[in-house]
Amino acid sequence: MFNIDQATREWKKALRQHETLEDALVADLELQLRDIFDALRGEGLTDEEAFRRAAAQVGTPEAIAAEYRKNRALALDRRRPWRPGRF
């Protein structure tokens, strides 16, 4: 039998292997995953199929980490060199 909590823990473990993904981002992604999962369950899919589709919709950990790194680098590049950082 499929266990959604165990599958989510394994999914989050894969996300946490990427050092660029912070805990708050992982928590946001988990909420997004669970929302999509609930919507797919409402459409009549089994738990396992709904989880697989939700995880595919959110994206692979590698793709998420790559996008986060890219966006972070762009944000850092936009800061003017003569302006100090906020912290």
Side-chain angles (χ1 to χ4, degrees):
M1 179 167 234
F2 182 77
N3 184 346
I4 181 67
D5 293 326
Q6 178 64 30
T8 303
R9 277 193 297 274
E10 291 173 11
W11 182 78
K12 286 183 356 182
K13 185 178 178 182
L15 284 174
R16 287 196 173 112
Q17 289 178 351
H18 299 278
E19 62 189 31
T20 58
L21 299 177
E22 301 163 352
D23 288 340
L25 181 62
V26 172
D28 277 347
L29 289 169
E30 179 185 2
L31 288 175
Q32 184 178 0
L33 177 80
R34 288 188 181 266
D35 287 344
I36 296 169
F37 173 80
D38 290 339
L40 291 171
R41 282 286 296 139
E43 293 177 8
L45 294 176
T46 64
D47 285 352
E48 186 173 1
E49 181 64 24
F51 181 81
R52 279 191 289 147
R53 286 191 184 182
Q57 249 183 312
V58 172
T60 64
E62 293 79 19
I64 294 168
E67 283 296 315
Y68 185 73
R69 266 192 308 273
K70 182 173 66 173
N71 290 333
R72 180 85 172 129
L74 284 174
L76 290 175
D77 285 345
R78 287 187 191 132
R79 192 174 67 209
R80 293 182 207 120
W82 60 88
R83 279 184 79 190
R86 289 186 173 188
F87 301 102

